[in-house]
Amino acid sequence: MKYLAILIFVMFGFGNLGAQTVTIGDVNPEDLQIKAFNLSSSATVKVSGVGGVFRDDYRLLMYYGWILDADTREVVWHLFDEMKDREFRKSDGLYDFSAEVPLKAGNYELYFTGAYDTRGWGNNFTMSDWTIDSFDDLVDEIFDSRDKEKFRRSLQEDLLISVSGAGLSPASVDALFDAKVKKAPVYFVKAENGERFEQGFTLTASTDIRIYAIGEGRKDEIFDYVWIYNAASRERVFEMNYKNTDFAGGADKNLKVDELITLPAGSYMLSYRTDDSHSFEQWNALPPDDPQFWGVSLFPVTETDRKNFSEFKAPKSMQPVAELVEVGNSELVSKGFSLSKEMDVRILCLGESTSYDEMADYGWIVDANTRKTVWKMRGYKTEHAGGASKNRRFEDVLTLDKGDYIAYYVTDGSHAYNSWNAASPHEVDRWGITLWATKDNEVGQVKTFEVEDYVVKNLIAELVMPGDHVYLKKVFVLDKDTNVTIMAMGEGSDNRMYDYGWIKNMNTGEVVWEMDYYDTDHAGGARKNRMVVEDIRLPKGEYRLNYETDGSHSFNDWNADPPNDPQSYGIRVLIAE
């Protein structure tokens, strides 16, 4: 009997020695399943199963599969290659497939999904998702997708994919995935919706790196993507955009970067972000060919390159010296800062534009003593900040003299931090204004202060930040003839002032100075915000400073855009320099 068993095995079983089958089936719509297998030697495997294209709630539901090389991440077989992609979409109902695929020895991942094609007809349809060559194509696509067999749960068990062959054996998906990501000193993969990732790394020498990233975007906008910037200078050394990406398989919006870059020695930040849909968490269209690596991985090219990666050493200048960030709707915020020497300051300001040069959310900087604007965010000097086109960013280095300054940031009633009415910017937590020193040894040269506590140098008297319906007075005495600077800000239009100040000589009863519309300039914000700075000489004596407002548009109760220096709304008298 023993010899008979051996004979039967030799006759019927030897040809299948070591051969096993890996199968994926019973996959729910909008689900994606993965299995892995190993080939001990090069072999031709058989891939077979049942795919399908169905109508489901006026969308196209497509069942299909593919095989990925677990190490190179390259597709080695795809059902769409068996039948041209466009022809597959025209299929109706179940579709049997079978193929003989030659594969090298190695590890592979098998995928099967039931995904919705946004190029179908329905709520998810957009013309940008669809390539149409003629009017006949348009008619065919519309009526073809409407006439398709409707998806039924009873069909789900019939939909499957199998791979079998000599020397094939099942493998662990997690083990293969872990082995691959361990080769990347820095990575962020299987990214989900609404993720914000940032990690620093330091290179001890010039290093060649393979950057492998998968994300989402289209020609005019990118949603899930990666960028790398120098931690000291904030210079972007790499950024994923539509021009430097390739098609990542699946939906047209799936984009891939697989590129070699060389970075000099230094410290860097790797950043990746996703929007609120279409990620490894859940795909709202056909998934990419390598869904597990949705995100970014940095692979050193050689072992020497790998040894150049070291623990992140954050430059001191990476820490902001002053910031007003995460600013919400209808806010006006300020922060004072003092420079003990002339120095370069890097400024980043994110805001919302309404036109080429008009900003709804923006920042500016004034001299704390003279109240002159030394910098303001201008729309035409900004670039796109990611997300909605109205998200704008300004980043540059400013040279500022030794002295005291106040940074301001203002928002209107919509589209600000945590209350976006359109796609949010990429650096969402920096909505506002941020300042950095450009050199590590100059970080300590910057000190911050609260604006409300700041005392203007050479100040004689002031009446500032008035509300509606007020009449403010303050007496001051000059013990000698004095050259003074008067700084006044108020509301005026149609050649008339509504919020304004004046000075009265208490010894003579004469009004020696009064804010006149014809002497004012625009103070920023609404056109009715007016300001004047004037030098006069006052004789020795007693004076009274006066300021009056009407019933609207005053400090912290603006009915239009506030002035550039809202905390100077009112009047000040200073000793002239």
Side-chain angles (χ1 to χ4, degrees), residues 334-336 371 406-408 449-455 567:
S334 61
K335 173 67 71 175
R371 316 309 283 197
I406 301 173
Y408 288 99
F449 59 85
E450 296 303 320
V451 177
E452 293 79 5
D453 300 332
Y454 186 76
V455 178
Q567 284 156 323

Side-chain angles (χ1 to χ4, degrees), residues 282-315:
Q282 185 173 15
W283 312 106
N284 62 17
L286 305 187
D289 292 337
D290 192 0
Q292 293 193 98
F293 275 78
W294 190 268
V296 58
S297 303
L298 301 185
F299 295 103
V301 174
T302 66
E303 187 59 31
T304 299
D305 292 318
R306 177 179 299 280
K307 292 178 180 179
N308 291 341
F309 280 82
S310 67
E311 184 178 352
F312 179 59
K313 298 178 180 64

Side-chain angles (χ1 to χ4, degrees), residues 278-383:
H278 195 69
S279 69
F280 188 77
E281 179 179 343
Q282 185 173 15
W283 312 106
N284 62 17
L286 305 187
D289 292 337
D290 192 0
Q292 293 193 98
F293 275 78
W294 190 268
V296 58
S297 303
L298 301 185
F299 295 103
V301 174
T302 66
E303 187 59 31
T304 299
D305 292 318
R306 177 179 299 280
K307 292 178 180 179
N308 291 341
F309 280 82
S310 67
E311 184 178 352
F312 179 59
K313 298 178 180 64
K316 290 182 180 179
S317 57
M318 188 176 173
Q319 183 65 32
V321 294
E323 60 183 345
L324 297 166
V325 293
E326 299 183 356
V327 185
N329 288 330
S330 302
E331 288 197 54
L332 172 63
V333 291
S334 61
K335 173 67 71 175
F337 62 97
S338 300
L339 306 182
S340 62
K341 55 174 282 189
E342 178 189 287
M343 60 183 287
D344 290 338
V345 177
R346 178 171 293 278
I347 179 172
L348 170 68
C349 195
L350 302 185
E352 176 191 9
S353 70
T354 57
S355 65
Y356 172 71
D357 191 33
E358 295 296 323
M359 301 294 300
D361 299 359
Y362 59 96
W364 65 96
I365 299 173
V366 303
D367 185 296
N369 288 292
T370 68
R371 316 309 283 197
K372 292 180 180 178
T373 300
V374 298
W375 174 84
K376 184 180 180 181
M377 187 180 189
R378 300 285 187 183
Y380 68 90
K381 290 186 176 181
T382 64
E383 61 184 7

Side-chain angles (χ1 to χ4, degrees), residues 22 29 75 113 182 184 200 225 235 327 329 335 373 384 389 410 468-469:
V22 174
V75 175
T113 186
K182 283 181 180 178
Y225 86 120
E235 175 190 2
V327 185
N329 288 330
K335 173 67 71 175
T373 300
H384 186 213
S389 59
V410 67
D468 293 337
H469 287 304

Side-chain angles (χ1 to χ4, degrees), residues 62-81:
M62 302 173 61
Y63 273 86
Y64 63 99
W66 66 96
I67 300 174
L68 202 69
D69 185 305
D71 184 54
T72 66
R73 314 311 297 172
E74 293 179 357
V75 175
V76 295
W77 177 86
H78 202 296
L79 181 56
F80 287 170
D81 294 333

Side-chain angles (χ1 to χ4, degrees), residues 369-436:
N369 288 292
T370 68
R371 316 309 283 197
K372 292 180 180 178
T373 300
V374 298
W375 174 84
K376 184 180 180 181
M377 187 180 189
R378 300 285 187 183
Y380 68 90
K381 290 186 176 181
T382 64
E383 61 184 7
H384 186 213
S389 59
K390 63 182 178 179
N391 297 327
R392 311 302 299 174
R393 74 189 301 271
F394 173 91
E395 184 167 5
D396 203 353
V397 174
L398 306 176
T399 300
L400 295 177
D401 293 331
K402 173 183 177 180
D404 303 327
Y405 299 89
I406 301 173
Y408 288 99
Y409 191 85
V410 67
T411 60
D412 66 357
S414 64
H415 194 72
Y417 182 74
N418 268 353
S419 185
W420 313 107
N421 62 17
S424 62
H426 295 149
E427 295 177 274
V428 63
D429 57 341
R430 290 259 164 234
W431 192 259
I433 184 171
T434 309
L435 302 173
W436 293 270

Side-chain angles (χ1 to χ4, degrees), residues 15-21 164-169:
N16 293 320
L17 182 64
Q20 295 192 46
T21 299
S164 60
L168 183 149
S169 59

